[in-house]
Amino acid sequence: MSYSPADIAEQPDAPAAGNADESGLPDVLVGPLLRRISPRRWVMWLVTCRPLDLMLTLAPRGGKSRRISLADQPCLAIGRHAFIYPVDVALDEPLPQDTLIDYDVSICRDDGIQSGIAQWAPWLCHTGAAMPSVAIASSHRRLMHGSCRKPHHPVADGLVRGDDWLADDVDDPARRPAWLLMTGDQIYADDVAGPMLCHIHALIARLGLWDEDLSGATLPDSPALYAADDTYYHRDLLLPDVESSAALRKGFFGGARKPVFTTANAHNHLMTLAACRTFHPQT
């Protein structure tokens, strides 16, 4: 059985994590994703379905806990029900190194009730933990390495295996990698499965992500792209080509004529910012 993006968008919502607003969406859609943590700086981002009153809690093991309001952090609307919080907090008092630091992001509601990660995303807490934790390494001797993720690849998911590995020694800061190093482009924006592209389009509609102008292309805008007959499995016909020498095509691409995106798997190539924004969180 096949489904169109409209069919998927009309399906009943899955149980929402934590509190949900009138849209039926959970308050927090993605994250928090830690991007850079140092003794005097805390950088993370999350995506919400509406503007929220957020509070950051940092609790070093054996040390003093602190609560930091995120009211002054930017909130960027990318759709009717999608808001990015690129949080970057400068810390007056440094965080300890080589020590586990529990952290939480609480949603403060108008009635005074607060809900933390354990309430709205309990899967981010390891077994028996009330909050997620992180450790700031004093030396960068350990790292966890990953590359582009392909959801339709037959092998098991690498990040899930990484999380399982962390869970084996969750209370030992010396076992924590100092980095998560993601080389490559993190996703395959060209080699996208048809069902995944269909779900991407449905999520764009569900979140009401802004339409985009495609001036200079064969289609005028993103709605026209999503509705085009060639939008599934034939996007190589919509992408512009570049002329190159026969020797270059033969040497690097086996003689195949390549789109400007330099890929031989462009049949479902992502072509809009909204598609990339929805694909990254799903992978």
Side-chain angles (χ1 to χ4, degrees):
M1 181 178 293
S2 62
Y3 295 93
S4 70
D7 294 329
I8 297 173
E10 291 173 359
Q11 298 301 309
D13 294 321
N19 299 303
D21 73 345
E22 63 276 5
S23 71
L25 293 164
D27 284 335
V28 179
L29 303 173
V30 182
L33 296 179
L34 306 187
R35 301 304 304 269
R36 178 178 179 180
I37 308 300
S38 65
R40 290 191 176 274
R41 191 178 178 194
W42 187 278
V43 181
M44 66 181 183
W45 70 265
L46 59 160
V47 183
T48 67
C49 74
R50 60 189 178 90
L52 297 174
D53 182 5
L54 301 173
M55 182 74 68
L56 172 66
T57 298
L58 302 177
R61 302 277 177 93
K64 181 182 178 182
S65 177
R66 69 188 84 171
R67 288 168 58 82
I68 303 168
S69 172
L70 302 181
D72 62 342
Q73 295 294 314
C75 175
L76 310 176
I78 61 172
R80 291 190 302 276
H81 304 298
F83 299 81
I84 296 177
Y85 280 87
V87 175
D88 191 342
V89 177
L91 303 171
D92 296 330
E93 181 179 346
L95 292 168
Q97 295 178 308
D98 303 319
T99 300
L100 289 178
I101 302 167
D102 295 316
Y103 66 93
D104 202 0
V105 178
S106 300
I107 301 171
C108 308
R109 310 190 71 83
D110 294 338
D111 56 10
I113 297 176
Q114 296 187 12
S115 58
I117 291 174
Q119 286 75 50
W120 51 261
W123 51 85
L124 295 181
C125 304
H126 284 110
T127 302
M131 293 182 280
S133 62
V134 68
I136 303 173
S138 59
S139 62
H140 293 180
R141 296 181 179 179
R142 302 175 67 87
L143 65 86
M144 183 177 290
H145 174 257
S147 186
C148 303
R149 303 182 77 193
K150 184 186 291 187
H152 58 286
H153 197 277
V155 302
D157 189 280
L159 277 182
V160 173
R161 177 65 191 97
D163 186 62
D164 290 342
W165 180 83
L166 285 176
D168 292 339
D169 295 289
V170 68
D171 292 321
D172 184 359
R175 293 278 296 168
R176 299 283 185 102
W179 307 350
L180 171 59
L181 180 62
M182 303 291 286
T183 53
D185 296 326
Q186 301 188 32
I187 62 167
Y188 286 89
D190 56 342
D191 190 359
V192 180
M196 173 61 78
L197 185 58
C198 191
H199 277 275
I200 288 172
H201 291 169
L203 187 55
I204 290 172
R206 184 74 177 85
L207 300 179
L209 299 189
W210 307 137
D211 294 334
E212 301 169 38
D213 178 32
L214 301 178
S215 59
T218 55
L219 297 168
D221 50 33
S222 54
L225 170 64
Y226 305 147
D229 291 339
D230 293 325
T231 199
Y232 295 109
Y233 300 105
H234 298 290
R235 289 194 167 190
D236 51 315
L237 302 177
L238 303 176
L239 293 169
D241 286 316
V242 291
E243 296 297 331
S244 57
S245 69
L248 179 64
R249 291 199 304 271
K250 182 177 180 180
F252 287 92
F253 307 126
R257 191 166 181 234
K258 301 287 291 186
V260 295
F261 296 93
T262 63
T263 177
N265 301 295
H267 306 302
N268 285 325
H269 204 303
L270 301 185
M271 295 172 62
T272 64
L273 180 58
C276 291
R277 281 173 166 165
T278 53
F279 189 35
H280 267 276
Q282 292 186 84
T283 57

